[in-house]
Amino acid sequence: MKKLNTFLCTATLLSPSIYTTNAHAKSHDNKSQEKPNVIIIMADDLGYGDLSCYGAKDVKTPNVDKLCKQGIRFTNSHAAAATSTPSRYALLTGQYAWRRQDTRIADGNAKMIIRPEQYTMADMFKNAGYATAAIGKWHLGLGDITGEQDWNAPLPCGLQDIGFDYHYIMAATGDRVPCVFIENGAVANHDKSAPIEVSYKQNFPGEPTGHSNPEMLYNLKPSPNHGHDQSIVNGISRIGFMKGGGEALWKDENIADSITSHALDFIKEHHQEPFFMYLCTNDIHVPRFPHPRFRGKTKMGHRGDAIVQFDWTVGQILSTLKKLGIDKNTIILLTSDNGPVVDDGYADQAVELLGNHKPSGPLRGNKYSSFEGGTRVPFIVTWPENIRKEQTSEALVSQIDLFQSFAQLLNATLPKGACPDSRGHWSSLVGEDNVGCPYVIEQNLWNVLSVRTLNWKYIEPSNGNSYMQLTNIETGNNPEPQLYNMEQSFEEINIAPQHPEIVEQLQSILKQERSK
Ligand code: NG6
Ligand code: CA
């Protein structure tokens, strides 16, 4: 049974004094419009150093920079995990993904990982009277049973069961089948003449793959040994096997346009009521294959041009909000699900053309890693009506805390057990507190945990490889405990042997968290 009891979960507005975090809040005649709209713009694999407002020189992101100037740029901001599925799970549920066994990078035919009885951030907004939408990359499973979805019929369990009124999503990633959009629980633009079948076990008889038919890869070829050499869609081979799709199949060069236009439509349709939009771009995940109008905008090839395409999406959102006159009372949070990676499976020349660009800026490690580059991500918060512009905050913040922080904004009463790991830090998000939370926990690809405080970083010992050859990434795995003084130098010198007392303190935080 669905968990929602709207009587128990009513959420009311905070008193105006709490809303008015700075002096210039405006009054509205229409009561419902006092509630700010909330848009989370979640980029994919965008690194701490990939935006010009975070120091990138070889790619210009004027729209994100403009957004950044309108509010607060956070410099010590973290995703809960170094890969997509656990990171997004934590954000939407307020529960650390490592508490569950089934939250690793999901296949495109994974069952819905967030179960209908779980209370999500979208449920909270919906109960507070918001129109809610998820648009773009999903990657948290669909349907009731893994591998058993009928992609030619409405799915039995979907985002409508976890608080989203509307969704237009990619089931998993651009590099995983099925390569179609799902709109409100069914394949968008479904083509009856080409029924869809999906398998992550075996190919369908007679269907070409990147492995057996490399001559069909007219758009992108896989990098050796990564395994993106299975079904071919739009001249690009993927992870997993699919058959059919016909007219419904996406064209990679149009994905940003499709996601953006659906986001703009949702905003236009709901601009007269409060809305919550979870907008997840496909950019800049692989396969990077930006629209021709963005090609050559950087000297970094598809990876750089995909950043420009991401920036365009942000610009479209900003100008639409402005045109509709709702920009001032819209909160935008722009962030990324995990750190950057250069070669993540396709021969798109990202490595060869990288030049001096540093996707994770000054940080050590990249996507997948326990080092900061894995989980420390861009994080910009704006709300022109109530947040002072041009601020930089060093507060320690994590995406896990967004749920409870938005609950503070909404003054929401949450059901028992909701968002168990999320802590309310609204004052940090609006720039009133520069310290943030006492610690954040981060998870790498191998489920190794780290504890980050304002000054320290502890990485627990593990037996995994210290280096991921495929992606050329330092994993942070080490059989010895690691301790870094983050005030002095990022993660250069392991000083665990010199500071057993601090190691012990941070270990006890982990132990305590694990035992919850
Ligand atoms: C990895 C894929 C990578 C990417 C990642 C998910 C291989 C070798 N690599 O397993 O290409 O798809 O999963 O990325 O299969 S994420 O950002 O969605 O977590
Ligand atoms: Ca990602």
Side-chain angles (χ1 to χ4, degrees), residues 96 116 132 154 181 209 239 263 307 509:
Y96 286 119
T132 55
F181 285 98
T209 64
I239 302 173
I307 297 175
I509 293 179

Side-chain angles (χ1 to χ4, degrees), residues 38-266:
V38 176
I39 303 178
I40 296 180
I41 302 178
M42 175 65 80
D44 198 349
D45 296 1
L46 186 76
Y48 189 79
D50 275 329
L51 297 167
S52 32
C53 52
Y54 277 85
K57 298 268 179 293
D58 296 335
V59 54
K60 298 264 172 290
T61 51
N63 293 300
V64 179
D65 296 358
K66 188 173 146 199
L67 178 74
C68 197
K69 281 209 179 108
Q70 283 176 18
I72 312 174
R73 182 180 71 106
F74 287 82
T75 57
N76 199 359
S77 34
H78 301 257
T83 58
S84 157
T85 302
S87 167
R88 291 162 198 260
Y89 176 85
L91 181 141
L92 287 177
T93 66
Q95 181 187 45
Y96 286 119
W98 46 263
R99 297 204 188 279
R100 283 177 55 167
Q101 297 300 313
D102 54 353
T103 53
R104 289 172 168 261
I105 298 172
D107 283 338
N109 66 349
K111 72 168 187 201
M112 199 161 74
I113 295 169
I114 304 174
R115 301 314 295 164
E117 355 18 280
Q118 255 176 297
Y119 196 74
T120 69
M121 189 188 284
D123 283 320
M124 175 179 70
F125 277 104
K126 191 173 160 69
N127 283 297
Y130 279 63
T132 55
I135 295 175
K137 177 178 177 178
W138 177 238
H139 211 190
L140 287 164
L142 287 168
D144 232 359
I145 306 172
T146 296
E148 299 283 304
Q149 298 89 347
D150 176 355
W151 299 98
N152 306 293
L155 294 160
C157 160
L159 280 67
Q160 65 281 8
D161 300 310
I162 54 171
F164 290 104
D165 298 327
Y166 174 75
H167 62 271
Y168 177 82
I169 53 166
M170 304 163 73
T173 54
D175 58 353
R176 283 175 175 74
V177 300
C179 299
V180 291
F181 285 98
I182 316 285
E183 188 166 25
N184 290 341
V187 169
N189 204 19
H190 183 257
D191 183 345
K192 279 203 185 102
S193 70
I196 298 171
E197 290 180 71
V198 172
S199 168
Y200 275 75
K201 291 198 179 118
Q202 68 223 2
N203 194 14
F204 299 97
E207 293 295 314
T209 64
H211 182 73
S212 60
N213 297 77
E215 76 286 355
M216 291 176 68
L217 301 175
Y218 55 84
N219 276 331
L220 272 180
K221 294 185 186 6
S223 302
N225 306 321
H226 282 246
H228 300 59
D229 61 353
Q230 298 177 340
S231 285
I232 302 172
V233 174
N234 191 32
I236 300 174
S237 48
R238 319 277 165 164
I239 302 173
F241 303 100
M242 84 174 283
K243 192 180 166 178
E247 291 293 306
L249 293 172
W250 68 49
K251 286 207 173 1
D252 301 73
E253 56 273 43
N254 296 334
I255 290 178
D257 281 335
S258 302
I259 291 176
T260 305
S261 65
H262 283 80
L264 300 185
D265 286 349
F266 179 79

Side-chain angles (χ1 to χ4, degrees), residues 279-290:
L279 170 58
C280 302
T281 65
N282 170 53
D283 292 317
I284 60 167
H285 198 277
V286 296
R288 305 170 190 120
F289 200 67

